[in-house]
Amino acid sequence: MDLTKLTLIETLDGLKNKKFSEEELNRAYFEKIEHLNPRLNIFLRAIKNTKGIPAAIKDIIITKGIETTAGSKILEGFIPPYSATVIQKLLNNNVSILGKTNQDEFAMGSSGENSAYGATKNPWNLEKVPGGSSSGSAAAVAADMCVFSLGTDTGGSIRQPASLCGVVGLKPSYGRVSRYGAIAMASSLDQIGPFTKSVADARLVLEWISGGDGFDANCFDEPFKKSLRAPAKQSLEGVKIGVPKEYFGEGLDKNVEKVIKEAIKKMEDLGAEIIEINLPHTENGVAVYYIVMASEVSSNLAKFDGIRFGHTRDKFGAEPKRRIMLGTYTLSAGYLEDYFIKAAKVRTLIKHDFEKAYENCDVIVGPVSPTVAWDLGAKITDPLTMYLSDVYTIPASLAGLPGLSIPCGFVDRLPVGLQILGKYMDEETILNVGEIYEQATSWHKERPKL
Amino acid sequence: MSNYESVIGLEVHVELNTKSKMFCRCSADYFGKEPNTHTCPVCLGLPGSLPYINEQAIEDCIKIGLALNCKVSKKALFERKNYFYPDLPKGYQISQYRWPLSVNGWMDVEDASGKITRIRINRAHQEEDTGKLSHIGGVTLIDLNRSSVPLVEIVTEPDFRDSSQIKDYAKKLQQIFRYLGVSRADMEKGDMRLEANVSVRPEGFEGLPNYRVELKNINSFKFMVAAVEYEIKRQIKELEEGRTLRQETRGWDEDKQITYTQRVKEEANDYRYFPEPDLPELQIDEEKVKKIKNEIPELAWEKIEKYSKDLGIKPADAKNLAESKELAEFFESAVEHGKKHEVSSQEIANYILNKKIDINALLPAQIIEDIKGKKSGVLDDEEELKRLCEEVLKENQGIVEAYIAGKVNVIQVLIGKVMAKSGGKANAGKVKEILEKLL
C-alpha cells in the first residue's frame, strides 16, 4: 500500500487499526521527498521523524529550533527560540513537523517565483507555477509529499495555490486561528490555514489549530468544533448559493469559466438553489488591498533591522522592497488621507457588499483564479499583472470571511479550483457544501503523474 | 524694547509599577536587573510576535486621568508610531495618537508669589517604553528589559509662564502618582521623566510662537528648573539681538550651567501613525469608569482642604502633613485617637512636624499617649522634685518645725506648696516620699 496516497482521516484510521506504524508512515513520506524534491523545490528543509503524523509547514510559520526563513535571505540561518501557537497545537495532536515549505518571500506573490530560494514547480506540469504565496505547501499535498500542510492566506495565498495545484485549501475567518508565530505580513488580513487531500481532512485540521491562546488579541477563544446537530447528508437541498455577477466578467479565462459554471450546475443538480448576487465594489478590491496590505507591511517589516536577529535590510528581495516603499508612501503625511484612510473606508463598503449579499444566500461560489497555472517566468516582469490574479480572492480577505478552494475540474490537464465563501465564522457551512460536492464528484481523486 | 513672556508646555512620562509589561507577561520590575533577562518574543520584537493588552495598566492610566480631572474616552485606540532606533525592537512604538484614553483635564499650580494658575492638561494616554542604550567604550549596548514596560504620557497645553509653576506641577504630579500607588515616580530611577517645550513671545501677544525648543534628558526637578530659567533668558537674548530661533532639542549641561543643542529639527518627524491592527478598540463604559473612580483614594489636595477647613490646621502644616499618603493616614489615625483623649489636631500636627517622627517606628496611639503625658505633665524627675522640696522646706521653716514636733499631718501643706511651685505637675506620691526623707 502506498501510504503517501492516504488522506489524514485514512491515515489516522490505518494507525488506529495498526495497518502500519508511524515509523513506516514517516519513512514513506521522507523517501518521497528525497525522490521528488530536487525536481520540484517544494521543501526548503525536511526532517526525518519516526513518530507523529507528518505535516509540512510554510516557512513563514515559526518553528522552534527549526530554521525559519519566510522564503527570504534576510532570515537565512534564523533559528527561532519559540514555536507558533498552531505548531504547539499540532504537536499536541501527535503531528510531526516533516519540513518547512518554499514560498514567495514574506508571503508576497501569487506564483512562488518571489522566493529567494528558487521557484517551486507545479507537480501537474513542471514548467508551470504552482501559485503563491504558499506554493510549497500546496504543491506538497498535490504531490503526496505530506499528509497535510499549513499555509497562510492574506489576499488569497492559500486558496489560489490550492486551485492551481488541485488540492483543498481553507482560509479561516479572520480571528478563527491564532496568528501568534506567523511572521506578520498584513496584521488585519493574515490567517493560517490547512492544505489537505479532502474536505473532511481540512475540517479536522481546523479543529486542531483554531482557538484563542492569550497571545493573539484578535483571536476568539472558542475553537472551531464541527456541530453535532447537523446530520450528514448527501444533498444540497435547502442551500442557497450566491453567484456574483462581478466574478464572471472580463478577465476570466473562458475555459476556466466553463469549468466553474459546470461545477455550479452540479451543485444545482445536488439540490442547491442558485441565486445571482451583486458585489458591486469587487473592482476596487485589488487597489484597496494593495494600499492596506502594503501600509501594514511597511510597518511589520520594520523589525528586520539586523540587530537582534537576521541579516541587514539590503537582503530583502525586490518585491518586499517594492511593498515597503509603497506602504511607507501611503502612510506618509500628506498622503495618508488619500490612500490609507480612503482605502480603509472602501474596505468597509466591500464588507457591506457581502453582508447585503448574505441576506439572500448561505454561501457565495465562484472562481478562485482567473486562469489555470501559467508558465514560469511569464508574469514575473510585470508586478501589476501578477497583482490582478488575486481579484477573486482579495475581497473575502478584506471582509475577514472564510474561504474554501476545492478541485472542480481541469483545463489542459491543469487544475481548476472552485471558491466557496461563507459568512463570518461560518466555516461549517462552506465545509459541508464543499464536502457534499466533493463526494459527488471524483476530482479529488486525481493526482499528478510524477 | 518690548518685554517677553515665556510659553511653556510640559510632557511627563511615568512608568507604571504593574507586575507585567504593557503587552507581554514579562516582569516589569526591571531596574537593576541583569540585562536582557526580562524578555520574551513580544518585547524583543521577534518575527511572529503579537501584543496582548495588560488590563491593569489601562486601569492605572484611567486612574491617572481621573485624578487630573480628565474626561475618559468612551472609545480609545492604540496606534503605531513608526520610526527606526536601536532601542525600539519592532521599529514602531505602540502608543496613542488620535484616540487617547483620557483628555481635557487640569491642575492648579502655585508660583513663587503664591498666585494660582490652572494648567490645562491635553491628555493622559498609554504607551510602551523602549529599551535602554548604554554607550561604553565606543560601542552601544542595548538592554531590552525596559522594552514594553507600561508608560503613561501626560501632556499639558503651553500654559506655564515660569519655572516655579513647573516645579509645583512636577511635585504635585509625583505626589498624585504615589498617592494612587501606580508608580514609584522616582526621577533618579527613571520612573518619571520630564520634557519641557519652551518658547518666548512679546508680552501681550496672544498667538503661539512659530518655534519651540524641547528640553530633554534632564533627570531631576532641580536641573529642569535651572534649564528652563536659562533657556528663557537665552531665547530672549537671541530675539533682542535680532536673531531668529529655530526648532531644536537641547539638553542641560550641569557643569557649564547652560543648555546645548542635541538635535536640530527642521521639520517634525513623520511617524506615519495608523491604528494598531493587532489590538482591538478599547471600549470604556461608564460602569468601568465609576468603578475605577471609586478606587481612587482621597488625594493630597483634598486632604489639605479637609485639614485646614474641618480640622483648623494651619495651611502650611496641612500641606506638609499631606506630603505622602502614609504620613497623612498616620496623622488622621492619630487625630481619631486624640478625640478620645482631648488632644487637638493642631497639637498632633505640631508634635508630628516638629519632632520629625518616624511613622514606621511609632503607632499613632503612642503619639497621643506622649502628648497626654506632657499635658497632664506629671513631673517625675527625682532631681527636680528634690530641688523643689528643698526650696519649699527652706521657705516654710515654721511648718517644718511643726512636723518635727510631731504634727505629721502638716506634710500635706508642704506637699501642696510643692504642687503649687510645679504648677500642679509634681507627682504627689513621690513628693511625699522625698519630703519625708528630707525631714
Side-chain angles (χ1 to χ4, degrees):
Chain A
M1 157 173 30
D2 184 354
L3 298 179
T4 65
K5 294 234 178 297
L6 300 174
T7 65
L8 170 60
I9 290 186
E10 287 167 352
T11 303
L12 289 169
D13 219 54
L15 285 170
K16 192 163 120 199
N17 296 319
K18 302 222 197 296
K19 299 254 173 69
F20 47 84
S21 70
E22 284 177 13
E23 192 179 342
E24 288 171 308
L25 182 67
N26 276 277
R27 200 185 322 130
Y29 278 109
F30 193 79
E31 278 169 11
K32 195 97 181 260
I33 294 172
E34 282 182 317
H35 177 52
L36 291 175
N37 203 50
R39 271 193 283 157
L40 295 169
N41 198 23
I42 286 173
F43 280 86
L44 293 174
R45 60 205 68 86
I47 300 162
K48 229 178 194 163
N49 297 311
T50 53
K51 301 184 100 157
I53 314 291
I57 309 293
K58 184 177 183 180
D59 209 27
I60 204 169
I61 298 172
I62 297 267
T63 43
K64 182 174 175 177
I66 303 172
E67 187 178 353
T68 298
T69 67
S72 178
K73 282 284 196 269
I74 204 173
L75 282 180
E76 190 169 29
F78 173 58
I79 314 284
Y82 78 105
S83 269
T85 295
V86 294
I87 297 298
Q88 199 51 62
K89 284 178 186 275
L90 286 182
L91 296 176
N92 292 345
N93 281 288
N94 195 33
V95 170
S96 57
I97 311 296
L98 177 59
K100 305 301 290 297
T101 56
N102 201 0
Q103 56 164 102
D104 285 301
E105 186 173 0
F106 286 109
M108 301 178 187
S110 309
S111 70
E113 293 168 295
N114 286 333
S115 168
Y117 298 97
T120 297
K121 316 282 195 295
N122 192 320
W124 294 88
N125 181 330
L126 269 58
E127 304 194 345
K128 306 281 184 184
V129 301
S133 63
S134 311
S135 17
S137 283
V141 173
D144 283 321
M145 285 160 95
C146 61
V147 181
F148 71 93
S149 68
L150 288 189
T152 60
D153 189 313
T154 304
S157 291
I158 288 178
R159 292 161 287 159
Q160 190 255 27
S163 168
L164 268 51
C165 287
V167 298
V168 173
L170 173 67
K171 180 194 95 69
S173 310
Y174 182 83
R176 175 62 85 186
V177 177
S178 169
R179 294 170 299 126
Y180 186 73
I183 298 179
M185 185 204 193
S187 311
S188 73
L189 297 162
D190 293 341
Q191 267 296 282
I192 300 174
F195 288 97
T196 55
K197 304 181 193 186
S198 73
V199 176
D201 285 0
R203 187 188 287 114
L204 182 57
V205 177
L206 182 64
E207 281 184 16
W208 286 350
I209 63 174
S210 57
D213 57 353
F215 285 95
D216 181 349
N218 289 341
C219 183
F220 283 97
D221 284 334
E222 272 303 297
F224 169 80
K225 271 238 137 31
K226 171 180 161 158
S227 73
L228 301 166
R229 51 182 168 80
K233 50 189 177 128
Q234 263 71 56
S235 95
L236 291 174
E237 206 71 48
V239 176
K240 293 207 187 90
I241 293 182
V243 176
K245 198 173 95 198
E246 292 79 5
Y247 286 23
F248 289 85
E250 203 188 305
L252 178 60
D253 177 87
K254 285 281 167 267
N255 293 317
V256 172
E257 185 176 359
K258 189 156 166 286
V259 171
I260 298 289
K261 287 210 160 128
E262 273 165 16
I264 294 175
K265 179 83 185 40
K266 179 74 182 172
M267 287 179 149
E268 198 175 23
D269 293 343
L270 286 166
E273 186 189 342
I274 310 298
I275 301 168
E276 196 183 69
I277 58 160
N278 280 90
L279 297 172
H281 294 91
T282 300
E283 62 176 353
N284 305 117
V286 175
V288 168
Y289 175 74
Y290 275 91
I291 291 171
V292 172
M293 173 271 295
S295 303
E296 294 181 6
V297 157
S298 72
S299 180
N300 283 329
L301 262 48
K303 59 174 62 72
F304 296 89
D305 53 17
I307 295 176
R308 300 172 309 293
F309 60 86
H311 304 276
T312 50
R313 289 173 79 78
D314 55 291
K315 292 287 190 293
F316 275 131
E319 191 61 32
K321 282 184 183 165
R322 203 173 280 130
R323 297 192 193 189
I324 289 170
M325 290 196 289
L326 177 59
T328 304
Y329 181 85
T330 51
L331 286 174
S332 56
Y335 299 104
L336 178 79
E337 261 87 39
D338 292 338
Y339 291 102
F340 183 80
I341 292 180
K342 195 63 172 278
K345 289 179 178 175
V346 180
R347 181 177 180 174
T348 305
L349 295 179
I350 291 174
K351 184 164 170 265
H352 287 164
D353 275 1
F354 282 103
E355 283 164 6
K356 195 146 174 287
Y358 281 128
E359 285 169 12
N360 298 317
C361 63
D362 304 309
V363 299
I364 292 170
V365 161
V368 174
S369 166
T371 65
V372 288
W374 56 93
D375 288 339
L376 284 157
K379 290 190 193 175
I380 197 63
T381 49
D382 185 0
L384 274 182
T385 309
M386 195 75 87
Y387 296 168
L388 288 167
S389 50
D390 293 327
V391 61
Y392 306 127
T393 50
I394 277 173
S397 297
L398 291 170
L401 303 175
L404 182 68
S405 173
I406 54 173
C408 70
F410 291 85
V411 172
D412 299 332
R413 203 62 197 147
L414 290 166
V416 176
L418 183 70
Q419 183 168 215
I420 306 174
L421 299 173
K423 295 178 187 169
Y424 185 61
M425 286 297 175
D426 190 15
E427 288 83 356
E428 172 137 38
T429 304
I430 60 174
L431 288 165
N432 288 347
V433 169
E435 188 167 24
I436 291 166
Y437 172 83
E438 175 195 73
Q439 294 301 306
T441 59
S442 32
W443 304 119
H444 60 288
K445 296 197 181 125
E446 303 273 348
R447 284 285 186 278
K449 290 185 185 43
L450 286 161
Chain B
M1 194 125 309
S2 55
N3 275 330
Y4 289 90
E5 64 175 2
S6 56
V7 178
I8 306 169
L10 278 189
E11 266 176 45
V12 174
H13 285 89
V14 59
E15 247 174 28
L16 299 179
N17 60 4
T18 53
K19 280 209 191 76
S20 324
K21 291 187 177 184
M22 187 66 224
F23 296 116
C24 66
R25 292 165 185 76
C26 290
S27 164
D29 182 19
Y30 71 91
F31 192 79
K33 301 290 192 295
E34 184 78 24
N36 296 309
T37 50
H38 286 193
T39 57
C40 72
V42 179
C43 55
L44 283 174
L46 294 189
S49 61
L50 294 172
Y52 204 82
I53 296 175
N54 179 333
E55 295 291 340
Q56 183 61 57
I58 303 284
E59 282 190 24
D60 288 354
C61 182
I62 293 174
K63 246 186 217 169
I64 292 173
L66 289 171
L68 294 173
N69 308 298
C70 292
K71 179 164 162 292
V72 178
S73 311
K74 278 205 175 60
K75 157 185 148 171
L77 273 184
F78 281 105
E79 300 207 64
R80 291 191 187 179
K81 181 179 183 181
N82 297 282
Y83 65 96
F84 286 96
Y85 206 66
D87 67 3
L88 192 63
K90 294 189 295 298
Y92 57 88
Q93 180 199 35
I94 300 178
S95 178
Q96 298 196 304
Y97 187 50
R98 283 165 288 186
W99 294 275
L101 265 171
S102 60
V103 294
N104 298 337
W106 52 266
M107 190 204 284
D108 288 337
V109 301
E110 205 175 308
D111 70 15
S113 73
K115 176 169 145 219
I116 310 278
T117 306
R118 181 154 288 194
I119 303 293
R120 293 167 298 161
I121 290 169
N122 178 288
R123 57 171 54 213
H125 79 220
Q126 188 98 73
E127 57 185 39
E128 57 176 347
D129 210 342
T130 63
K132 208 148 196 270
L133 300 183
S134 322
H135 310 282
I136 294 174
V139 294
T140 300
L141 302 173
I142 308 175
D143 176 12
L144 291 170
N145 281 350
R146 197 183 70 177
S147 163
S148 211
V149 165
L151 281 183
V152 173
E153 179 176 321
I154 299 155
V155 183
T156 72
E157 301 293 353
D159 292 345
F160 291 96
R161 295 284 171 268
D162 81 53
S163 62
S164 62
Q165 292 174 321
I166 290 170
K167 185 150 177 237
D168 193 42
Y169 176 78
K171 280 199 148 16
K172 285 193 166 128
L173 260 192
Q174 185 183 56
Q175 193 176 48
I176 287 176
F177 299 145
R178 290 176 176 172
Y179 258 77
L180 292 177
V182 296
S183 173
R184 204 175 38 190
D186 198 331
M187 276 192 85
E188 277 83 63
K189 296 211 169 81
D191 303 332
M192 184 170 153
R193 299 166 216 160
L194 300 181
E195 277 166 32
N197 292 308
V198 182
S199 339
V200 296
R201 68 183 174 200
E203 227 168 60
F205 186 74
E206 293 269 313
L208 286 175
N210 63 356
Y211 74 96
R212 32 175 225 212
V213 172
E214 240 185 357
L215 295 176
K216 264 183 126 139
N217 301 319
I218 298 170
N219 54 15
S220 79
F221 292 161
K222 204 175 76 155
F223 293 171
M224 179 55 87
V225 165
V228 167
E229 285 173 355
Y230 174 88
E231 185 57 24
I232 294 170
K233 292 202 186 82
R234 184 192 76 89
Q235 291 188 14
I236 292 175
K237 180 160 179 284
E238 292 289 296
L239 290 177
E240 282 176 347
E241 290 177 8
R243 287 185 281 277
T244 45
L245 290 157
R246 58 183 182 186
Q247 192 103 332
E248 59 174 334
T249 303
R250 295 174 80 91
W252 174 248
D253 187 328
E254 175 63 9
D255 296 325
K256 297 201 188 114
Q257 292 280 303
I258 57 161
T259 62
Y260 64 97
T261 303
Q262 287 183 335
R263 199 164 66 235
V264 178
K265 292 166 117 183
E266 288 308 336
E267 43 179 60
N269 264 338
D270 181 6
Y271 293 112
R272 301 190 300 287
Y273 281 100
F274 70 101
E276 171 57 79
D278 287 327
L279 294 174
E281 200 175 281
L282 294 169
Q283 281 155 356
I284 303 159
D285 61 27
E286 282 189 36
E287 280 307 306
K288 185 162 189 182
V289 176
K290 243 191 241 158
K291 179 177 169 290
I292 295 174
K293 200 161 192 170
N294 286 338
E295 290 169 11
I296 297 179
E298 198 173 46
L299 296 174
W301 67 269
E302 292 171 297
K303 289 192 189 291
I304 293 170
E305 243 187 66
K306 193 170 76 174
Y307 297 169
S308 37
K309 290 216 174 83
D310 302 346
L311 300 178
I313 302 289
K314 285 184 278 187
D317 289 346
K319 200 156 167 227
N320 288 326
L321 287 166
E323 175 78 34
S324 77
K325 191 158 76 140
E326 292 72 35
L327 180 59
E329 285 173 355
F330 186 95
F331 169 68
E332 286 165 16
S333 179
V335 166
E336 278 308 301
H337 278 286
K339 284 192 184 139
K340 301 182 207 140
H341 299 281
E342 293 173 346
V343 176
S344 80
S345 308
Q346 186 66 56
E347 285 179 295
I348 297 171
N350 293 342
Y351 188 96
I352 291 176
L353 294 173
N354 296 339
K355 287 193 180 294
K356 297 192 187 8
I357 59 162
D358 178 359
I359 59 174
N360 294 318
L362 287 172
L363 289 175
Q366 288 176 288
I367 310 264
I368 303 304
E369 282 307 307
D370 209 20
I371 297 176
K372 231 176 54 174
K374 294 219 173 359
K375 264 182 19 174
S376 56
V378 177
L379 182 53
D380 263 338
D381 188 78
E382 296 265 338
E383 289 297 315
E384 181 67 11
L385 286 175
K386 192 153 172 255
R387 186 180 68 76
L388 287 173
C389 289
E390 283 169 354
E391 262 179 45
V392 162
L393 292 177
K394 218 159 54 168
E395 291 162 7
N396 295 278
Q397 283 299 313
I399 303 177
V400 172
E401 277 160 20
Y403 182 88
I404 293 170
K407 270 187 164 179
V408 291
N409 288 345
V410 300
I411 201 168
Q412 296 298 330
V413 179
L414 292 173
I415 292 171
K417 289 205 189 280
V418 174
M419 295 303 282
K421 261 199 194 285
S422 72
K425 293 187 181 197
N427 182 333
K430 277 226 173 112
V431 169
K432 186 158 186 270
E433 275 173 36
I434 295 170
L435 282 173
E436 280 169 355
K437 265 206 221 112
L438 290 171
L439 285 163

